[in-house]
Coordinates of all heavy atoms in Angstrom, one line a residue:
M104 N 15.9 -8.0 -11.2 CA 14.8 -7.0 -10.8 C 13.6 -7.8 -10.3 O 12.9 -7.3 -9.4 CB 14.5 -6.1 -11.9 CG 15.3 -4.9 -12.1 SD 15.5 -4.0 -10.6 CE 15.9 -2.5 -11.2
S105 N 13.3 -8.9 -10.9 CA 12.1 -9.6 -10.5 C 12.2 -10.2 -9.1 O 11.3 -10.2 -8.3 CB 11.7 -10.7 -11.5 OG 12.8 -11.7 -11.5
L106 N 13.5 -10.6 -8.7 CA 13.7 -11.0 -7.3 C 13.5 -9.9 -6.3 O 12.9 -10.1 -5.2 CB 15.1 -11.7 -7.2 CG 15.2 -13.0 -7.8 CD1 16.7 -13.5 -7.7 CD2 14.3 -14.0 -7.1
L107 N 14.0 -8.7 -6.6 CA 13.8 -7.6 -5.8 C 12.3 -7.2 -5.6 O 11.9 -6.9 -4.5 CB 14.6 -6.4 -6.3 CG 14.5 -5.1 -5.5 CD1 15.1 -5.3 -4.1 CD2 15.3 -4.0 -6.2
S108 N 11.6 -7.3 -6.7 CA 10.2 -7.0 -6.7 C 9.5 -8.0 -5.9 O 8.6 -7.6 -5.1 CB 9.7 -7.0 -8.1 OG 8.3 -6.7 -8.1
L109 N 9.8 -9.3 -6.0 CA 9.2 -10.3 -5.2 C 9.5 -10.1 -3.7 O 8.6 -10.3 -2.9 CB 9.7 -11.7 -5.6 CG 9.1 -12.9 -4.9 CD1 7.6 -13.0 -5.0 CD2 9.8 -14.1 -5.3
A110 N 10.7 -9.7 -3.4 CA 11.1 -9.5 -2.0 C 10.3 -8.3 -1.4 O 9.8 -8.4 -0.2 CB 12.6 -9.2 -1.9
L111 N 10.1 -7.3 -2.2 CA 9.3 -6.1 -1.7 C 7.8 -6.5 -1.5 O 7.2 -6.1 -0.6 CB 9.4 -5.0 -2.6 CG 10.8 -4.4 -2.7 CD1 10.8 -3.2 -3.7 CD2 11.3 -3.9 -1.4
I112 N 7.3 -7.3 -2.4 CA 5.9 -7.8 -2.3 C 5.8 -8.6 -1.0 O 4.8 -8.4 -0.3 CB 5.5 -8.6 -3.5 CG1 5.3 -7.6 -4.7 CG2 4.2 -9.3 -3.3 CD1 5.2 -8.3 -6.1
L113 N 6.7 -9.5 -0.8 CA 6.6 -10.3 0.4 C 6.8 -9.5 1.7 O 6.1 -9.7 2.7 CB 7.7 -11.4 0.4 CG 7.5 -12.5 -0.7 CD1 8.7 -13.4 -0.7 CD2 6.2 -13.3 -0.4
L114 N 7.7 -8.5 1.7 CA 7.8 -7.6 2.8 C 6.6 -6.8 3.1 O 6.1 -6.8 4.3 CB 9.0 -6.7 2.6 CG 9.4 -5.8 3.8 CD1 9.9 -6.6 4.9 CD2 10.4 -4.7 3.3
S115 N 6.0 -6.3 2.1 CA 4.8 -5.5 2.3 C 3.6 -6.4 2.7 O 2.8 -6.0 3.5 CB 4.4 -4.7 1.1 OG 4.1 -5.5 0.0
G116 N 3.6 -7.6 2.2 CA 2.5 -8.6 2.6 C 2.7 -9.0 4.0 O 1.7 -9.1 4.8
F117 N 3.9 -9.2 4.5 CA 4.2 -9.5 5.9 C 3.7 -8.4 6.8 O 3.1 -8.7 7.8 CB 5.7 -9.8 6.1 CG 6.1 -9.8 7.5 CD1 5.8 -10.9 8.3 CD2 6.7 -8.7 8.1 CE1 6.1 -10.9 9.6 CE2 7.1 -8.8 9.4 CZ 6.8 -9.9 10.2
A118 N 4.0 -7.2 6.4 CA 3.6 -6.0 7.2 C 2.1 -5.9 7.3 O 1.6 -5.7 8.4 CB 4.2 -4.7 6.7
L119 N 1.5 -6.2 6.2 CA 0.0 -6.1 6.2 C -0.6 -7.2 7.1 O -1.5 -6.9 7.9 CB -0.5 -6.2 4.7 CG -2.0 -6.1 4.5 CD1 -2.6 -4.8 5.1 CD2 -2.4 -6.3 3.1
V120 N -0.1 -8.4 6.9 CA -0.7 -9.5 7.8 C -0.4 -9.2 9.2 O -1.2 -9.5 10.1 CB -0.1 -10.9 7.3 CG1 -0.4 -12.0 8.3 CG2 -0.6 -11.2 5.9
D121 N 0.8 -8.7 9.5 CA 1.1 -8.4 10.9 C 0.2 -7.3 11.5 O -0.2 -7.4 12.6 CB 2.6 -8.0 11.0 CG 3.0 -7.8 12.5 OD1 3.2 -8.8 13.2 OD2 3.1 -6.6 12.9
A122 N -0.1 -6.3 10.7 CA -1.0 -5.3 11.1 C -2.4 -5.8 11.4 O -3.1 -5.4 12.3 CB -1.1 -4.1 10.1
V123 N -2.8 -6.8 10.6 CA -4.2 -7.4 10.7 C -4.3 -8.1 12.1 O -5.3 -8.1 12.7 CB -4.5 -8.3 9.5 CG1 -5.7 -9.2 9.8 CG2 -4.7 -7.5 8.3
I124 N -3.2 -8.9 12.5 CA -3.3 -9.7 13.6 C -3.1 -9.0 15.0 O -3.4 -9.5 16.0 CB -2.4 -10.9 13.6 CG1 -0.9 -10.5 13.6 CG2 -2.7 -11.8 12.4 CD1 0.1 -11.6 13.7
R125 N -2.6 -7.8 14.9 CA -2.4 -7.0 16.2 C -3.7 -6.4 16.7 O -4.6 -6.1 15.9 CB -1.4 -5.9 15.9 CG -0.1 -6.3 15.5 CD 0.7 -7.1 16.5 NE 1.8 -7.7 16.0 CZ 2.5 -8.7 16.6 NH1 2.2 -9.1 17.7 NH2 3.6 -9.2 16.0
R126 N -3.8 -6.3 18.0 CA -5.0 -5.7 18.6 C -5.1 -4.2 18.3 O -4.1 -3.5 18.3 CB -4.9 -5.9 20.2 CG -5.0 -7.3 20.6 CD -5.1 -7.5 22.1 NE -4.9 -6.3 22.9 CZ -4.1 -6.2 23.9 NH1 -3.4 -7.3 24.3 NH2 -4.0 -5.1 24.6
E127 N -6.4 -3.8 18.2 CA -6.6 -2.4 17.9 C -6.2 -1.4 19.0 O -5.7 -0.4 18.8 CB -8.1 -2.2 17.5 CG -8.4 -1.0 16.7 CD -8.6 0.3 17.6 OE1 -9.1 0.1 18.7 OE2 -8.3 1.4 17.2
D128 N -6.5 -1.8 20.2 CA -6.2 -1.0 21.3 C -4.7 -0.8 21.6 O -4.2 0.2 22.1 CB -6.9 -1.4 22.6 CG -6.4 -2.8 23.0 OD1 -6.0 -3.6 22.1 OD2 -6.5 -3.2 24.2
A129 N -3.9 -1.7 21.1 CA -2.4 -1.6 21.2 C -1.9 -0.5 20.4 O -0.9 0.2 20.8 CB -1.7 -2.9 20.9
Y130 N -2.5 -0.2 19.3 CA -2.0 0.9 18.4 C -2.3 2.3 19.1 O -1.4 3.1 19.1 CB -2.8 0.9 17.1 CG -2.4 -0.1 16.1 CD1 -3.0 -1.4 16.2 CD2 -1.4 0.1 15.2 CE1 -2.6 -2.4 15.3 CE2 -1.1 -0.9 14.3 CZ -1.6 -2.1 14.4 OH -1.3 -3.1 13.5
R131 N -3.4 2.4 19.8 CA -3.7 3.6 20.5 C -2.9 3.7 21.7 O -2.4 4.8 22.1 CB -5.2 3.7 20.9 CG -6.1 4.0 19.7 CD -7.6 4.1 20.1 NE -8.1 2.7 20.2 CZ -8.7 2.2 21.2 NH1 -9.0 3.0 22.2 NH2 -9.2 1.0 21.2
A132 N -2.6 2.6 22.4 CA -1.8 2.7 23.6 C -0.3 3.0 23.3 O 0.3 3.7 24.1 CB -1.9 1.3 24.3
A133 N 0.1 2.6 22.1 CA 1.5 2.9 21.7 C 1.6 4.3 21.0 O 2.7 4.7 20.7 CB 2.0 1.8 20.7
D134 N 0.4 4.9 20.9 CA 0.4 6.3 20.3 C 0.9 6.3 18.8 O 1.8 7.1 18.5 CB 1.1 7.3 21.1 CG 0.7 8.7 20.8 OD1 -0.5 8.9 20.3 OD2 1.5 9.6 21.1
K135 N 0.5 5.3 18.1 CA 1.0 5.1 16.7 C -0.2 5.1 15.7 O -0.4 4.2 14.9 CB 1.7 3.8 16.6 CG 2.9 3.6 17.4 CD 4.0 4.6 17.0 CE 5.2 4.4 17.9 NZ 6.2 5.4 17.6
Q136 N -1.0 6.1 15.6 CA -2.2 6.2 14.8 C -3.2 5.1 15.2 O -3.2 4.7 16.3 CB -1.8 6.2 13.3 CG -1.0 7.3 12.8 CD -1.8 8.6 12.8 OE1 -3.0 8.6 12.6 NE2 -1.2 9.7 13.1
T137 N -4.0 4.7 14.3 CA -5.0 3.7 14.6 C -4.8 2.5 13.7 O -4.1 2.5 12.7 CB -6.4 4.2 14.4 OG1 -6.6 4.5 13.0 CG2 -6.7 5.4 15.3
K138 N -5.4 1.4 14.1 CA -5.3 0.1 13.3 C -5.8 0.3 11.9 O -5.2 -0.1 10.9 CB -5.9 -1.0 14.0 CG -5.8 -2.4 13.2 CD -6.3 -3.5 14.0 CE -6.1 -4.8 13.3 NZ -6.5 -6.0 14.1
P139 N -7.0 0.9 11.7 CA -7.6 1.1 10.4 C -6.6 2.0 9.5 O -6.5 1.7 8.3 CB -8.9 1.8 10.6 CG -9.3 1.4 11.9 CD -8.1 1.2 12.7
F140 N -6.0 3.0 10.1 CA -5.1 3.8 9.4 C -4.0 3.0 8.8 O -3.6 3.1 7.6 CB -4.5 4.9 10.3 CG -3.4 5.7 9.7 CD1 -3.7 6.8 8.9 CD2 -2.1 5.4 9.9 CE1 -2.7 7.6 8.3 CE2 -1.1 6.2 9.3 CZ -1.4 7.3 8.5
W141 N -3.3 2.2 9.6 CA -2.2 1.4 9.2 C -2.7 0.3 8.2 O -1.9 -0.1 7.3 CB -1.4 0.8 10.3 CG -0.6 1.8 10.9 CD1 -0.7 2.5 12.1 CD2 0.6 2.4 10.3 NE1 0.3 3.4 12.3 CE2 1.1 3.4 11.2 CE3 1.3 2.2 9.1 CZ2 2.2 4.1 10.9 CZ3 2.4 2.9 8.8 CH2 2.9 3.9 9.7
L142 N -3.8 -0.3 8.4 CA -4.3 -1.3 7.4 C -4.5 -0.6 6.0 O -4.2 -1.3 5.0 CB -5.6 -1.9 7.9 CG -5.5 -2.8 9.1 CD1 -6.9 -3.3 9.6 CD2 -4.6 -4.0 8.8
I143 N -5.1 0.6 6.0 CA -5.3 1.2 4.7 C -3.9 1.6 4.1 O -3.7 1.3 2.9 CB -6.2 2.5 4.9 CG1 -7.6 2.1 5.3 CG2 -6.1 3.4 3.6 CD1 -8.5 3.2 5.7
I144 N -3.0 2.1 4.8 CA -1.7 2.5 4.3 C -1.0 1.3 3.8 O -0.4 1.3 2.7 CB -0.9 3.2 5.3 CG1 -1.5 4.6 5.7 CG2 0.6 3.4 4.9 CD1 -1.6 5.6 4.6
L145 N -1.0 0.2 4.5 CA -0.2 -1.0 4.1 C -0.9 -1.7 3.0 O -0.2 -2.3 2.1 CB 0.0 -1.9 5.3 CG 0.9 -1.3 6.4 CD1 0.9 -2.2 7.7 CD2 2.3 -1.1 5.9
A146 N -2.2 -1.7 2.9 CA -2.9 -2.3 1.8 C -2.6 -1.6 0.5 O -2.4 -2.2 -0.5 CB -4.4 -2.4 2.1
I147 N -2.7 -0.3 0.6 CA -2.3 0.6 -0.6 C -0.9 0.3 -1.0 O -0.6 0.1 -2.2 CB -2.6 2.0 -0.3 CG1 -4.1 2.3 -0.2 CG2 -2.0 2.9 -1.4 CD1 -4.5 3.7 0.3
A148 N 0.0 0.3 0.0 CA 1.4 0.0 -0.3 C 1.6 -1.4 -1.0 O 2.3 -1.5 -2.0 CB 2.3 0.1 0.9
F149 N 0.9 -2.4 -0.5 CA 1.0 -3.7 -1.1 C 0.5 -3.7 -2.5 O 1.2 -4.3 -3.4 CB 0.2 -4.7 -0.2 CG 0.2 -6.1 -0.8 CD1 1.3 -6.9 -0.6 CD2 -0.9 -6.6 -1.4 CE1 1.3 -8.2 -1.0 CE2 -0.9 -7.9 -1.9 CZ 0.2 -8.7 -1.7
V150 N -0.6 -3.1 -2.8 CA -1.2 -3.1 -4.1 C -0.3 -2.3 -5.1 O 0.0 -2.7 -6.2 CB -2.6 -2.5 -4.1 CG1 -3.1 -2.2 -5.5 CG2 -3.6 -3.4 -3.4
V151 N 0.2 -1.2 -4.6 CA 1.1 -0.4 -5.5 C 2.4 -1.1 -5.8 O 2.9 -1.1 -6.9 CB 1.4 1.0 -4.8 CG1 2.6 1.7 -5.4 CG2 0.2 1.9 -4.8
I152 N 3.0 -1.8 -4.8 CA 4.2 -2.5 -5.0 C 3.9 -3.7 -6.0 O 4.8 -4.1 -6.8 CB 4.8 -3.0 -3.7 CG1 5.4 -1.8 -2.9 CG2 5.9 -4.0 -3.9 CD1 5.8 -2.1 -1.5
W153 N 2.8 -4.3 -5.9 CA 2.4 -5.4 -6.7 C 2.2 -5.0 -8.2 O 2.6 -5.7 -9.1 CB 1.1 -6.0 -6.2 CG 0.6 -7.2 -6.9 CD1 -0.1 -7.2 -8.1 CD2 0.8 -8.6 -6.6 NE1 -0.4 -8.5 -8.5 CE2 0.2 -9.4 -7.6 CE3 1.4 -9.2 -5.5 CZ2 0.2 -10.7 -7.5 CZ3 1.4 -10.6 -5.5 CH2 0.8 -11.3 -6.5
L154 N 1.5 -3.8 -8.4 CA 1.1 -3.4 -9.7 C 2.2 -2.7 -10.5 O 2.2 -2.8 -11.7 CB -0.2 -2.6 -9.6 CG -1.4 -3.3 -9.2 CD1 -2.6 -2.4 -9.1 CD2 -1.7 -4.5 -10.1
F155 N 2.9 -1.8 -9.8 CA 3.8 -0.9 -10.6 C 5.2 -1.5 -10.6 O 5.7 -2.2 -9.7 CB 3.8 0.5 -9.9 CG 2.5 1.2 -10.1 CD1 1.5 1.2 -9.2 CD2 2.3 1.9 -11.3 CE1 0.4 1.8 -9.3 CE2 1.1 2.6 -11.4 CZ 0.2 2.6 -10.5
P156 N 6.0 -1.2 -11.7 CA 7.4 -1.6 -11.7 C 8.2 -1.0 -10.6 O 7.9 0.2 -10.2 CB 7.8 -1.2 -13.1 CG 6.9 -0.1 -13.6 CD 5.6 -0.4 -12.8
I157 N 9.2 -1.7 -10.2 CA 10.0 -1.3 -9.0 C 10.7 0.1 -9.3 O 11.0 0.8 -8.3 CB 11.0 -2.4 -8.6 CG1 11.6 -2.1 -7.3 CG2 12.1 -2.5 -9.6 CD1 10.6 -2.2 -6.2
M158 N 11.0 0.4 -10.5 CA 11.8 1.6 -10.8 C 10.9 2.9 -10.9 O 11.4 3.9 -11.1 CB 12.6 1.4 -12.1 CG 13.7 0.4 -12.0 SD 14.8 0.6 -10.6 CE 15.7 1.9 -11.2
S159 N 9.6 2.7 -10.7 CA 8.8 3.9 -10.7 C 8.7 4.5 -9.3 O 9.2 4.0 -8.3 CB 7.4 3.6 -11.2 OG 6.7 2.7 -10.3
F160 N 8.0 5.7 -9.2 CA 8.1 6.4 -7.9 C 7.1 5.9 -6.9 O 7.4 5.9 -5.7 CB 7.7 7.9 -8.3 CG 7.8 8.8 -7.1 CD1 9.0 9.1 -6.5 CD2 6.6 9.4 -6.6 CE1 9.1 9.9 -5.4 CE2 6.7 10.2 -5.5 CZ 7.9 10.5 -4.9
L161 N 6.0 5.4 -7.3 CA 5.0 4.9 -6.3 C 5.4 3.7 -5.4 O 5.2 3.7 -4.2 CB 3.6 4.6 -7.0 CG 2.9 5.8 -7.5 CD1 1.7 5.4 -8.3 CD2 2.5 6.8 -6.4
P162 N 6.1 2.7 -6.0 CA 6.5 1.6 -5.1 C 7.5 2.1 -4.0 O 7.6 1.5 -3.0 CB 7.2 0.6 -6.1 CG 6.5 0.8 -7.3 CD 6.2 2.3 -7.4
V163 N 8.3 3.1 -4.3 CA 9.2 3.6 -3.3 C 8.5 4.2 -2.2 O 8.8 4.0 -1.0 CB 10.2 4.7 -4.0 CG1 11.0 5.4 -2.9 CG2 11.0 4.0 -5.1
I164 N 7.4 4.9 -2.4 CA 6.6 5.5 -1.3 C 5.9 4.3 -0.5 O 5.9 4.3 0.7 CB 5.5 6.4 -1.9 CG1 6.1 7.6 -2.5 CG2 4.5 6.8 -0.8 CD1 5.2 8.5 -3.3
G165 N 5.5 3.3 -1.2 CA 4.9 2.1 -0.5 C 6.0 1.4 0.3 O 5.7 0.9 1.4
L166 N 7.2 1.3 -0.2 CA 8.3 0.7 0.6 C 8.6 1.5 1.8 O 8.8 1.0 2.9 CB 9.5 0.6 -0.3 CG 10.8 0.0 0.3 CD1 10.5 -1.4 0.8 CD2 11.9 0.0 -0.6
I167 N 8.6 2.8 1.7 CA 8.9 3.7 2.9 C 7.8 3.5 3.9 O 8.1 3.4 5.1 CB 9.0 5.2 2.4 CG1 10.2 5.4 1.6 CG2 8.9 6.1 3.6 CD1 10.3 6.7 1.0
A168 N 6.5 3.4 3.5 CA 5.4 3.2 4.5 C 5.6 1.8 5.1 O 5.4 1.7 6.4 CB 4.1 3.2 3.8
T169 N 6.0 0.8 4.4 CA 6.2 -0.5 4.9 C 7.3 -0.5 5.9 O 7.2 -1.1 7.0 CB 6.4 -1.5 3.8 OG1 5.3 -1.5 2.9 CG2 6.7 -2.9 4.3
I170 N 8.4 0.1 5.6 CA 9.6 0.2 6.5 C 9.2 0.9 7.8 O 9.7 0.5 8.9 CB 10.8 0.8 5.8 CG1 11.3 -0.2 4.7 CG2 11.9 1.2 6.7 CD1 12.4 0.4 3.8
V171 N 8.5 2.0 7.7 CA 8.1 2.8 8.9 C 7.3 1.9 9.8 O 7.5 1.8 11.0 CB 7.3 4.0 8.5 CG1 6.6 4.6 9.7 CG2 8.2 5.1 7.9
Y172 N 6.4 1.1 9.2 CA 5.6 0.2 10.0 C 6.5 -0.9 10.7 O 6.4 -1.1 11.9 CB 4.5 -0.5 9.2 CG 3.7 -1.5 10.0 CD1 2.7 -1.1 10.9 CD2 4.0 -2.9 10.1 CE1 2.0 -2.0 11.7 CE2 3.4 -3.8 10.9 CZ 2.3 -3.3 11.7 OH 1.7 -4.2 12.5
I173 N 7.3 -1.5 9.9 CA 8.1 -2.6 10.5 C 9.2 -2.1 11.5 O 9.4 -2.8 12.5 CB 8.8 -3.4 9.4 CG1 7.8 -4.2 8.6 CG2 9.9 -4.3 9.9 CD1 8.3 -4.8 7.3
V174 N 9.7 -0.9 11.3 CA 10.8 -0.5 12.2 C 10.3 0.3 13.4 O 10.8 0.2 14.5 CB 11.8 0.4 11.4 CG1 12.8 1.1 12.3 CG2 12.5 -0.4 10.3
D175 N 9.2 1.1 13.2 CA 8.7 1.9 14.3 C 7.4 1.4 14.9 O 7.4 1.3 16.2 CB 8.5 3.3 13.7 CG 8.1 4.3 14.8 OD1 8.6 4.2 15.9 OD2 7.2 5.1 14.5
V176 N 6.4 1.1 14.2 CA 5.1 0.8 14.7 C 5.0 -0.6 15.3 O 4.6 -0.8 16.4 CB 4.0 1.0 13.6 CG1 2.6 0.6 14.2 CG2 4.0 2.5 13.2
R177 N 5.5 -1.6 14.5 CA 5.4 -3.0 14.9 C 6.1 -3.2 16.3 O 5.5 -3.9 17.2 CB 6.0 -3.9 13.8 CG 5.9 -5.3 14.2 CD 6.4 -6.2 13.0 NE 6.2 -7.6 13.2 CZ 7.2 -8.4 13.6 NH1 8.4 -7.9 13.7 NH2 6.9 -9.7 13.9
P178 N 7.3 -2.8 16.5 CA 7.9 -3.0 17.9 C 7.1 -2.4 19.0 O 7.0 -3.0 20.1 CB 9.3 -2.4 17.8 CG 9.6 -2.4 16.3 CD 8.3 -2.2 15.6
A179 N 6.6 -1.2 18.8 CA 5.8 -0.5 19.8 C 4.6 -1.2 20.1 O 4.2 -1.4 21.3 CB 5.6 0.9 19.4
V180 N 3.9 -1.7 19.1 CA 2.6 -2.4 19.3 C 2.9 -3.8 19.9 O 2.1 -4.2 20.8 CB 1.9 -2.5 17.9 CG1 0.7 -3.4 18.0 CG2 1.4 -1.2 17.5
R181 N 3.9 -4.4 19.5 CA 4.3 -5.7 20.1 C 4.6 -5.6 21.6 O 4.3 -6.5 22.4 CB 5.5 -6.4 19.4 CG 5.1 -7.0 18.0 CD 6.3 -7.6 17.4 NE 6.7 -8.8 18.2 CZ 7.8 -9.5 18.0 NH1 8.6 -9.2 17.0 NH2 8.0 -10.6 18.7
Q182 N 5.3 -4.5 21.9 CA 5.6 -4.3 23.3 C 4.4 -4.1 24.2 O 4.3 -4.6 25.3 CB 6.6 -3.2 23.5 CG 7.0 -2.9 24.9 CD 8.0 -1.8 25.0 OE1 8.2 -1.0 24.0 NE2 8.6 -1.6 26.1
I183 N 3.4 -3.4 23.7 CA 2.2 -3.1 24.4 C 1.4 -4.3 24.5 O 0.8 -4.7 25.6 CB 1.4 -2.0 23.7 CG1 2.1 -0.7 23.7 CG2 0.0 -1.8 24.3 CD1 2.3 0.0 25.0
S184 N 1.2 -5.1 23.4 CA 0.3 -6.3 23.4 C 1.0 -7.5 23.9 O 0.4 -8.5 24.1 CB -0.2 -6.5 22.0 OG 0.8 -6.8 21.1
G185 N 2.3 -7.4 24.2 CA 3.0 -8.6 24.8 C 3.2 -9.7 23.8 O 3.3 -10.8 24.1
G186 N 3.3 -9.3 22.5 CA 3.4 -10.3 21.4 C 4.8 -10.8 21.2 O 5.7 -10.1 20.8
G187 N 5.0 -12.1 21.6 CA 6.2 -12.9 21.2 C 7.5 -12.2 21.3 O 7.7 -11.1 21.6
G188 N 8.5 -12.9 21.1 CA 9.8 -12.4 21.0 C 10.6 -12.8 22.3 O 10.1 -12.9 23.4
G189 N 11.9 -13.1 22.0 CA 12.9 -13.3 23.1 C 12.5 -14.3 24.1 O 12.0 -15.4 23.8
R190 N 12.8 -14.0 25.4 CA 12.6 -14.9 26.5 C 11.2 -15.1 26.9 O 10.3 -14.2 26.7 CB 13.4 -14.4 27.7 CG 14.8 -14.1 27.4 CD 15.4 -13.4 28.6 NE 14.6 -12.3 28.9 CZ 15.0 -11.2 29.6 NH1 16.2 -11.2 30.0 NH2 14.2 -10.2 29.9
R191 N 10.9 -16.2 27.4 CA 9.6 -16.5 28.0 C 9.7 -16.9 29.4 O 10.6 -17.7 29.8 CB 8.9 -17.6 27.2 CG 8.7 -17.3 25.7 CD 7.6 -18.0 25.2 NE 7.5 -18.0 23.7 CZ 7.2 -17.0 23.0 NH1 7.1 -15.8 23.6 NH2 7.1 -17.0 21.7
G192 N 8.9 -16.4 30.3 CA 8.9 -16.8 31.7 C 10.0 -16.2 32.5 O 10.4 -16.8 33.5
G193 N 10.5 -15.1 32.1 CA 11.6 -14.5 32.8 C 11.1 -13.8 34.0 O 9.9 -13.4 34.2
S194 N 12.0 -13.5 35.0 CA 11.7 -12.8 36.2 C 11.8 -11.3 35.9 O 12.4 -10.8 35.0 CB 12.7 -13.2 37.3 OG 12.6 -12.4 38.4
S195 N 11.2 -10.5 36.8 CA 11.3 -9.1 36.7 C 12.7 -8.6 37.0 O 13.1 -7.5 36.7 CB 10.3 -8.4 37.6 OG 10.6 -8.7 39.0
S196 N 13.6 -9.4 37.7 CA 14.9 -9.0 37.9 C 15.9 -9.5 36.9 O 17.1 -9.2 37.0 CB 15.4 -9.6 39.3 OG 15.4 -11.0 39.2
D197 N 15.4 -10.1 35.8 CA 16.3 -10.5 34.7 C 16.7 -9.3 33.9 O 16.0 -8.4 33.6 CB 15.5 -11.4 33.7 CG 15.4 -12.8 34.3 OD1 15.9 -13.0 35.4 OD2 14.7 -13.7 33.6
G198 N 18.0 -9.2 33.6 CA 18.6 -8.2 32.8 C 18.7 -8.7 31.4 O 18.2 -9.8 31.0
P199 N 19.4 -7.9 30.5 CA 19.4 -8.3 29.1 C 20.3 -9.6 28.9 O 20.2 -10.2 27.9 CB 20.0 -7.1 28.4 CG 20.7 -6.4 29.5 CD 20.0 -6.7 30.8
Y200 N 21.2 -9.9 29.9 CA 22.1 -11.1 29.7 C 21.8 -12.2 30.7 O 22.6 -13.1 30.9 CB 23.5 -10.6 29.9 CG 23.9 -9.5 28.9 CD1 24.1 -8.2 29.4 CD2 23.9 -9.8 27.6 CE1 24.3 -7.2 28.5 CE2 24.2 -8.7 26.7 CZ 24.4 -7.5 27.2 OH 24.7 -6.5 26.3
G201 N 20.6 -12.1 31.3 CA 20.2 -13.2 32.3 C 19.8 -12.6 33.6 O 19.7 -11.4 33.8
P202 N 19.6 -13.5 34.6 CA 19.1 -13.0 35.9 C 20.2 -12.2 36.6 O 21.3 -12.5 36.5 CB 18.8 -14.3 36.6 CG 19.4 -15.4 35.9 CD 19.7 -14.9 34.5
Y203 N 19.7 -11.2 37.4 CA 20.5 -10.4 38.2 C 20.7 -11.2 39.5 O 19.8 -11.6 40.2 CB 19.9 -9.1 38.4 CG 20.7 -8.2 39.4 CD1 22.0 -7.7 38.9 CD2 20.3 -7.9 40.6 CE1 22.7 -6.9 39.8 CE2 21.0 -7.1 41.5 CZ 22.3 -6.6 41.1 OH 23.0 -5.8 41.9
N204 N 22.0 -11.4 39.9 CA 22.3 -12.2 41.1 C 22.7 -11.3 42.3 O 23.2 -11.8 43.3 CB 23.3 -13.2 40.8 CG 24.7 -12.7 40.4 OD1 24.9 -11.5 40.5 ND2 25.6 -13.5 40.0
G205 N 22.6 -10.0 42.2 CA 22.9 -9.1 43.4 C 24.3 -9.0 43.7 O 24.7 -8.7 44.8
G206 N 25.2 -9.2 42.7 CA 26.6 -9.0 42.9 C 27.3 -10.1 43.6 O 28.4 -10.0 44.1
R207 N 26.7 -11.3 43.6 CA 27.3 -12.5 44.2 C 28.2 -13.2 43.3 O 28.1 -13.3 42.1 CB 26.2 -13.4 44.7 CG 25.4 -12.9 45.8 CD 24.4 -13.8 46.2 NE 23.2 -13.3 45.5 CZ 22.0 -13.7 45.7 NH1 21.7 -14.6 46.6 NH2 21.0 -13.2 45.1

C-alpha cells in the first residue's frame, strides 16, 4: 500500500509541476478552464493524497482530478503551446509515419 501511495503522490506532484510550467494563455486557448483553477485543484489533490490514507474517499477524488488533468488538459495545453513531444523539425507534409512522397 505504501508503494501505491508513493506512486499517487508522485503522479499528482508531476501534474502540479506540469501545470505550473505551462503558459496561462494556453489554458484559455485550449478552452480548459484557467491556469489558477487547475493549480488550485491539483494543489488540493496533492495535499489530500499526501495526508489521507489511500483507502479513504478523498484521495480517490484527488486521483480523478489528477487523471483528468494528465489525460485531457495536459495534451491540449501542450498542443497549443507547442511543448515538446515527438518529432522536431518536421515538414508540414510529414504524416504520422514520415514524410509524404506524393505516391512515388
Side-chain angles (χ1 to χ4, degrees):
M104 276 307 203
S105 63
L106 285 174
L107 181 61
S108 181
L109 178 64
L111 294 180
I112 290 169
L113 291 175
L114 182 68
S115 65
F117 166 77
L119 181 59
V120 169
D121 186 73
V123 167
I124 64 172
R125 301 291 170 195
R126 292 186 353 226
E127 198 276 329
D128 60 335
Y130 287 88
R131 285 181 281 129
D134 199 25
K135 300 291 181 185
Q136 293 294 326
T137 62
K138 183 175 182 172
F140 172 84
W141 281 108
L142 289 177
I143 291 168
I144 295 295
L145 293 172
I147 291 171
F149 179 77
V150 170
V151 165
I152 291 172
W153 181 279
L154 293 179
F155 290 94
I157 193 66
M158 296 305 288
S159 66
F160 185 66
L161 289 175
V163 173
I164 295 172
L166 177 62
I167 290 170
T169 302
I170 290 172
V171 166
Y172 177 81
I173 289 174
V174 172
D175 183 41
V176 177
R177 183 175 184 258
V180 171
R181 283 182 69 187
Q182 184 178 11
I183 296 293
S184 64
R190 303 173 308 206
R191 300 207 192 292
S194 169
S195 64
S196 65
D197 284 357
Y200 304 108
Y203 177 70
N204 62 9
R207 289 179 266 193

